[in-house]
Amino acid sequence: MTHPTDITAGTPHRLGAHFDGAGVNFAVFSENASAMHLCLFSPDGSREIAQIPLPERCGNVWHGYLPGVTPGTPYGYRAYGSFDPEKGHRFNPHKLLADPYTRETIGAWSDNPATLGYLPSSAKTDLSFSELDSAPHVAKSVVSDPALFDAIRAIEPGQPARDVIYEAHVRGLTQTHPDIPEGLRGTYEGLATAPMLDHLTNLGVKSVELLPVHGFLDDSFLLKRGLTNYWGYNTIGFFAAEPRYFGPQGLIGFRQMVDRFHAAGIEVILDVVYNHTAEGDQNGPTLSFRGLDNASYYRLLSGQPRYYVNDTGCGNTLNVAHPFVLRMVLDSLRFWAGEMGIDGFRFDLATTLGREAHGFDPWGGFFDALRQDPLLASKRMIAEPWDIGPGGYQLGGFPPEFCEWNDSYRDTVRRYWRGDAHSAQELGARLLGSADKFDHTGRRSTASVNFIASHDGFTTADTTRYNHRHNEANTENNQDGHHSNYSDNCGVEGETDDPAIRAKRARRQRNMLATLFLSQGTPMLLAGDEFSNSQGGNNNAYCQDNETGWLNWDRADAETQTFTAAISAFRRAHPVLRQTRFLHAEARPSDGKPDVQWTDFSGGPLHWRDPGMSNFCLTLRGSATAPAYEAGDDAVFIAFNRMDMALPVRLPPIAKGQHWLRGIDTDLSVQGAFCELETGEALIAADSVVAFAVRQDILRQDGETAL
């Protein structure tokens, strides 16, 4: 090895590798290392050409400046220190370590025993010490060109149209789309092609939420089974875009994707995994964090630091309570928001991030840091409000700046349309933004992210086709995935040619989609649900990077897609469906009318104690506590009929010169019919949802009244 002598002290203030036009400053955190060596590689990353001790340590940051190094240079670190797993230390200089701050990588990660810090054949297992060099088997960090990260045009924070979220997988959304050029399918660039933008804008999508795009690994146990980590919840690089989704322009293509979405008025939200890393438990590989400072980066069991706290179910838990780990997470968020133009983040297993020594704390260090950050405070923050640790289920418990995935909403909607007892009462709360969960500490009704299906579980179509999960292809004996899906196959398990069952399933889907778009809160639509996409009953397609996990565009149901676009347009047209204030049947100062009113089909009060209650109506008006501009004089009347027979419904009285317009009907045969006040009644088809909107008489030039 050569050891250049011209390295200088550099600076510790900016972690990572940063080119200044003449050389590169390298800085990396390790509290417990005794020495840190910078390793440089040939341009293709295949040969280690220099190993250079970083000359300075300032506090817990090792650093040095090396002139003459240019962007594109592959590098890594070898950390020296104690190998004493029973005390929490796993330093091993034979393992090449990725820079946690690298923005690009070269080469591939391989499932090779050399990546393990121990000898798997040893009886001492993870207490043994491996001298195998891992460098040939791991990706290398790369010095980035700062010109790649010029400022990108962002959507202004606080813009009023934040509403419909579309959850999608980069590859799965476009891999089989017939109108996207073949070379762009499955790539970042393919996401923002004209066919996809047209599709999303037609659906009224305001935010695309992408499954993880941070650099991630395929789990060893999946590779042994011939599978891969399709979803990507196995992060190894919090600053690097996953290269498997690169198109012809690489990282530039990612930035172009963001710009094109913004130009179309669509936000980009990233699903981020700061709760654990791809290094797994004590039997996992040493790739970066473990080798740099295991005892700092991870939460270890008290009294048994050989083992990891596993609140995530993924083998380890990132120690966000450590100041430098917290700094890394915040720096990562700032990078994606400030230099990649990202508009928001959905935090996987977010309870983990808020867990302090005394338990989950919505006012803990992570949340405090987000609040005070001038860049991040304006970004959209969404929590997955649970993990498997103590006190892990925290729906409604996050700070007011957060929205939260509302699984209670998902389960209630499925149970109601399946016909479960008591489900109508529960649905009432969910339709109004789940005030029982969120109406505190100044939170808004938009805090509830409502969804019927997400990447994790049955698609909406599959909730009408399968009573049981069918995950055999995951090679886990069909034991993985959700046990409680609240699904109903409508009479036959799986596909069928029976026209009556197919019609029932299609209507059930329309009913659930209508419920979603007519609810207060923030609706989230799973990609493909708009056209009845199926995963063949697989409710845990995390390892299915194939036709099971990809959207089946060739089998898209045009009728469902047209309906989804229509109900989304209806939502956009009526601000009473998109209110930020909770509705509590309070009288409005302007006219004395309640902002929400529950009635039965005859116009009388509901019998809330009836466990078999199946039908109900609600009238929505502008919140009694909101300024008039939020909803104005808009009003919507919604009738839910779960019975297997058509029923008449009495329409609420409205002002002279106004009429009720049947705007949405999941019984498509009567879509758009008018019902006037004078008649007082409308017919609601069996097993359907109907939404009426107020329409004012308009005087034509000839003096006649027109609608």
Side-chain angles (χ1 to χ4, degrees):
M1 291 289 174
T2 59
H3 295 271
T5 58
D6 50 359
I7 189 168
T8 60
T11 174
H13 301 302
R14 192 178 183 193
L15 294 172
H18 298 280
F19 177 67
D20 64 2
V24 175
N25 190 84
F26 295 91
V28 62
F29 158 75
S30 180
E31 181 177 345
N32 294 294
S34 59
M36 189 71 62
H37 287 194
L38 169 68
C39 304
L40 301 180
F41 287 80
S42 59
D44 63 359
S46 63
R47 291 183 300 106
E48 190 169 2
I49 60 176
Q51 191 175 128
I52 310 159
L54 290 181
E56 292 290 339
R57 175 177 180 172
C58 182
N60 296 321
V61 177
W62 302 79
H63 54 97
Y65 179 85
L66 197 58
V69 177
T70 57
T73 300
Y75 72 100
Y77 293 108
R78 296 185 187 273
Y80 291 78
S82 171
F83 184 83
D84 190 350
E86 292 187 310
K87 292 185 178 179
H89 302 304
R90 295 180 180 270
F91 292 102
N92 188 333
H94 301 284
K95 310 305 164 183
L96 185 76
L97 308 173
D99 183 351
Y101 277 70
T102 189
R103 301 178 177 191
E104 298 178 78
T105 60
I106 188 173
W109 307 92
S110 64
D111 182 30
N112 189 283
T115 64
L116 302 174
Y118 63 95
L119 298 171
S121 59
S122 171
K124 297 172 63 178
T125 60
D126 67 296
L127 298 179
S128 62
F129 186 79
S130 168
E131 296 184 359
L132 296 175
D133 183 12
S134 69
H137 310 288
V138 297
K140 314 302 184 296
S141 302
V142 174
V143 176
S144 290
D145 184 346
L148 288 174
F149 305 102
D150 293 336
I152 196 169
R153 186 178 71 85
I155 291 181
E156 288 298 316
Q159 51 98 9
R162 285 182 169 181
D163 194 43
V164 180
I165 299 173
Y166 188 82
E167 191 202 23
H169 186 282
V170 174
R171 177 171 290 155
L173 181 59
T174 62
Q175 187 67 33
T176 69
H177 198 297
D179 299 327
I180 293 177
E182 190 169 350
L184 298 182
R185 295 176 190 174
T187 71
Y188 300 118
E189 293 160 70
L191 286 177
T193 52
M196 281 310 312
L197 291 177
D198 290 345
H199 179 76
L200 295 172
T201 53
N202 183 57
L203 291 173
V205 169
K206 295 302 179 183
S207 302
V208 170
E209 182 179 304
L210 299 178
L211 267 67
V213 300
H214 289 174
F216 65 89
L217 301 187
D218 295 311
D219 311 68
S220 175
F221 77 93
L222 290 177
L223 293 173
K224 288 179 172 62
R225 299 174 183 176
L227 300 169
T228 59
N229 190 319
Y230 173 56
W231 286 348
Y233 293 92
N234 204 34
T235 306
I236 193 61
F238 295 111
F239 295 78
E242 173 53 47
R244 71 185 73 189
Y245 305 137
F246 281 156
Q249 299 193 72
L251 187 60
I252 294 175
F254 183 99
R255 292 171 55 77
Q256 289 179 342
M257 171 200 73
V258 176
D259 257 341
R260 289 170 182 160
F261 274 128
H262 287 177
I266 298 174
E267 295 179 319
V268 181
I269 298 172
L270 297 187
D271 194 335
V272 289
V273 188
Y274 295 114
N275 57 77
H276 75 282
T277 80
E279 291 183 311
D281 62 14
Q282 70 276 5
N283 298 313
T286 297
L287 306 172
S288 179
F289 315 98
R290 174 175 284 136
L292 287 169
D293 195 340
N294 184 65
S296 294
Y297 275 106
Y298 295 115
R299 292 180 58 209
L300 307 178
L301 287 179
S302 177
Q304 290 183 300
R306 173 185 175 184
Y307 303 107
Y308 296 79
V309 172
N310 189 20
D311 290 343
T312 65
C314 300
N316 64 52
T317 302
L318 207 62
N319 185 17
V320 180
H322 190 287
F324 270 93
V325 181
L326 176 60
R327 174 179 171 179
M328 178 187 71
V329 171
L330 293 171
D331 285 347
S332 170
L333 292 169
R334 292 187 198 102
F335 166 72
W336 290 100
E339 298 183 60
M340 301 297 277
I342 298 303
D343 305 286
F345 303 93
R346 180 267 189 188
F347 294 91
D348 179 63
L349 301 182
T351 301
T352 300
L353 302 177
R355 186 176 279 109
E356 302 286 335
H358 55 277
F360 178 79
D361 187 348
W363 316 111
F366 172 72
F367 299 122
D368 286 347
L370 283 181
R371 281 192 200 88
Q372 61 78 38
D373 189 279
L375 173 61
L376 299 177
S378 65
K379 299 301 177 182
R380 199 170 190 180
M381 302 292 174
I382 303 172
E384 182 183 39
W386 52 77
D387 67 8
I388 66 169
Y393 191 72
Q394 291 291 333
L395 179 65
F398 281 73
E401 294 83 357
F402 274 75
C403 298
E404 300 177 35
W405 272 27
N406 190 346
D407 63 325
S408 181
Y409 180 94
R410 174 199 64 201
D411 295 346
T412 300
V413 172
R414 292 185 183 188
R415 290 180 60 245
Y416 173 76
W417 287 111
R418 191 174 67 169
D420 291 10
H422 299 287
S423 57
Q425 290 86 343
E426 180 76 9
L427 182 60
R430 305 298 148 245
L431 288 168
L432 297 184
S434 296
D436 56 326
K437 309 289 185 183
F438 297 103
D439 191 7
H440 57 80
T441 61
R443 302 189 75 173
R444 299 297 181 95
S445 65
T446 51
S448 178
V449 176
N450 303 327
F451 63 102
I452 303 165
S454 69
H455 69 276
D456 188 5
F458 276 151
T459 67
T460 296
D462 283 351
T463 64
T464 70
R465 300 181 186 185
Y466 299 93
N467 285 347
H468 311 286
R469 64 191 176 198
H470 294 270
N471 299 352
E472 291 82 4
N474 296 356
T475 68
E476 298 180 43
N477 298 317
N478 203 33
Q479 296 301 305
D480 59 304
H482 289 299
H483 295 273
S484 300
N485 295 289
Y486 304 110
S487 59
D488 174 17
N489 65 20
C490 300
V492 174
E493 187 77 356
E495 299 296 332
T496 181
D497 293 327
D498 186 315
I501 292 177
R502 290 170 65 92
K504 183 176 181 179
R505 289 173 173 177
R507 181 177 289 202
R508 179 73 57 81
Q509 290 174 60
R510 293 195 298 272
N511 286 340
M512 291 192 288
L513 289 166
T515 305
L516 175 67
F517 281 88
L518 294 171
S519 297
Q520 302 295 311
T522 301
M524 185 182 80
L525 183 68
L526 174 65
D529 272 3
E530 70 272 22
F531 57 72
S532 301
N533 185 67
S534 172
Q535 293 180 166
N538 192 317
N539 76 350
N540 189 33
Y542 77 104
C543 55
Q544 299 298 323
D545 191 0
N546 50 45
E547 288 80 2
T548 296
W550 305 337
L551 268 61
N552 302 303
W553 290 95
D554 60 334
R555 300 183 63 185
D557 182 77
E559 186 175 73
T560 302
Q561 184 169 322
T562 299
F563 176 81
T564 306
I567 187 65
S568 180
F570 185 82
R571 180 181 177 87
R572 292 195 304 277
H574 294 285
V576 292
L577 299 174
R578 298 179 280 107
Q579 300 186 65
T580 64
R581 310 294 177 97
F582 290 97
L583 307 177
H584 292 294
E586 297 178 7
R588 304 193 309 174
S590 59
D591 56 14
K593 294 180 179 179
D595 51 20
V596 65
Q597 190 169 6
W598 300 94
T599 54
D600 62 18
F601 270 44
S602 65
L606 282 177
H607 299 289
W608 286 106
R609 295 183 182 274
D610 179 5
M613 185 173 72
S614 296
N615 312 309
F616 59 88
C617 306
L618 73 157
T619 305
L620 297 170
R621 302 182 181 90
S623 169
T625 61
Y629 62 75
E630 183 165 285
D633 294 327
D634 189 28
V636 169
F637 174 71
I638 310 170
F640 290 82
N641 181 14
R642 199 176 62 187
M643 300 286 285
D644 58 2
M645 65 181 73
L647 296 172
V649 67
R650 178 163 295 280
L651 300 172
I654 49 179
K656 183 178 180 180
Q658 293 182 333
H659 302 264
W660 285 112
L661 169 67
R662 187 185 299 251
I664 291 294
D665 195 324
T666 58
D667 176 24
L668 301 181
S669 63
V670 294
Q671 183 77 6
F674 286 93
C675 297
E676 296 186 12
L677 174 63
E678 287 75 18
T679 63
E681 284 190 351
L683 189 65
I684 308 300
D687 193 26
S688 64
V689 181
V690 181
F692 300 88
V694 172
R695 183 69 175 265
Q696 186 76 32
D697 282 354
I698 301 173
L699 289 177
R700 299 198 308 242
Q701 289 184 347
D702 60 7
E704 295 294 322
T705 300
L707 290 177

